[in-house]
Amino acid sequence: MSESDRNELIDAYFDALDADDLDIVRPALAEDFVYESPSGELEGFSGLETYMEELRGLSNTTHEITLRIHDEHASATEGTVTGDGDGGNVTADFCDVFEFDESEDGITRISVYLNDA
């Protein structure tokens, strides 16, 4: 899969978060998708829905990607997320690692790392 094809799948994920509309990312996710965040590991599209509806700490987010790195097995993005959290506007740095299925037409795992210090 080309870097631009991977970037399209990755961008669908961030677009879905910022629009609060998971239907945007659904076609980009493999059947055996896993979402790993500070809230824990969740399986399948329904796991991502659980994260968005019950576990996500921010709403009205904007993700600004400042770095993308691709290797043969995975891609990583680094950037800043801003959104509404408990007590007002919150900004945090993130690094998300994306893994793809063997046919490389879907995301199999997203691992989210936050630095909100």
Side-chain angles (χ1 to χ4, degrees):
M1 175 185 292
S2 71
E3 288 183 11
S4 64
D5 289 341
R6 284 187 178 188
N7 284 336
E8 283 185 31
L9 298 177
I10 291 167
D11 289 345
Y13 164 72
F14 288 113
D15 290 346
L17 292 180
D18 292 345
D20 197 20
D21 182 359
L22 290 182
D23 286 335
I24 295 170
V25 74
R26 184 188 296 258
L29 303 178
E31 201 169 302
D32 58 348
F33 170 74
V34 174
Y35 191 73
E36 183 180 19
S37 77
S39 299
E41 186 173 288
L42 303 166
E43 295 183 8
F45 183 78
S46 63
L48 184 57
E49 287 179 312
T50 298
Y51 172 78
M52 290 292 288
E53 295 169 3
E54 299 174 19
L55 303 171
R56 189 175 188 207
L58 297 177
S59 61
N60 301 317
T61 59
T62 301
H63 288 80
E64 180 183 339
I65 298 172
T66 56
L67 179 66
R68 295 175 190 251
I69 299 172
H70 302 282
D71 77 4
E72 74 179 86
H73 301 292
S75 297
T77 59
E78 189 175 276
T80 303
V81 59
T82 304
D84 297 332
D86 290 338
N89 194 278
V90 175
T91 299
D93 294 327
F94 69 85
C95 177
D96 291 356
V97 178
F98 297 82
E99 296 175 31
F100 303 88
D101 59 18
E102 287 185 23
S103 61
E104 292 196 336
D105 60 2
I107 300 169
T108 57
R109 176 180 289 272
I110 300 173
S111 299
V112 177
Y113 304 92
L114 293 174
N115 180 7
D116 56 2

